[in-house]
Amino acid sequence: TWNDISQVAAIVEAGHPKIQADPSQGSHFFQNLTSLGIVYLTLQKPEHGHLRWDWFERQPDLGRTAFLRHIQLATPLIVHVDGRTSEAVIQEQSKTGAGSP
């Protein structure tokens, strides 16, 4: 629901090798993201970037379905985005509060 994502800094939509789906394209959805300053990233192909799936698997879930896993982190992640190049990096915070490599 919208309440589950209304306070996020970024949403990452990742593809799956067995499913060739287009990224989400609902105009009302993107209007909400844009107006709230939420970054939307899509990784549909390997050349678009990667996620550390092993890191995600170590996080506790709030809920899980056949196609979705909902996690909530103890500390926020750091999101760096360059809108001119369409490049982004999302990092964990170190124990000192600064970004980790």
Side-chain angles (χ1 to χ4, degrees):
T1 66
W2 181 251
N3 288 335
D4 293 326
I5 63 171
S6 65
Q7 298 297 311
V8 302
I11 294 173
V12 179
E13 186 173 13
H16 189 281
K18 294 182 181 179
I19 302 170
Q20 297 301 317
D22 291 331
S24 298
Q25 297 183 9
S27 61
H28 186 80
F29 175 71
F30 278 104
Q31 173 61 35
N32 288 340
L33 295 183
T34 302
S35 66
L36 294 171
I38 297 173
V39 173
Y40 176 81
L41 305 169
T42 180
L43 299 173
Q44 296 298 317
K45 299 176 183 174
E47 59 268 20
H48 293 161
H50 69 277
L51 294 174
R52 289 179 31 218
W53 291 110
D54 60 324
W55 181 86
F56 283 100
E57 286 300 321
R58 291 192 304 269
Q59 308 310 311
D61 19 314
L62 296 178
R64 186 186 287 253
T65 69
F67 301 105
L68 177 78
R69 183 165 172 251
H70 184 182
I71 64 172
Q72 184 174 9
L73 305 175
T75 58
L77 298 173
I78 299 170
V79 180
H80 301 278
V81 179
D82 185 334
R84 289 171 279 172
T85 63
S86 298
E87 295 178 333
V89 174
I90 301 174
Q91 299 175 291
E92 292 180 76
Q93 289 188 18
S94 70
K95 294 183 182 187
T96 62
S100 61

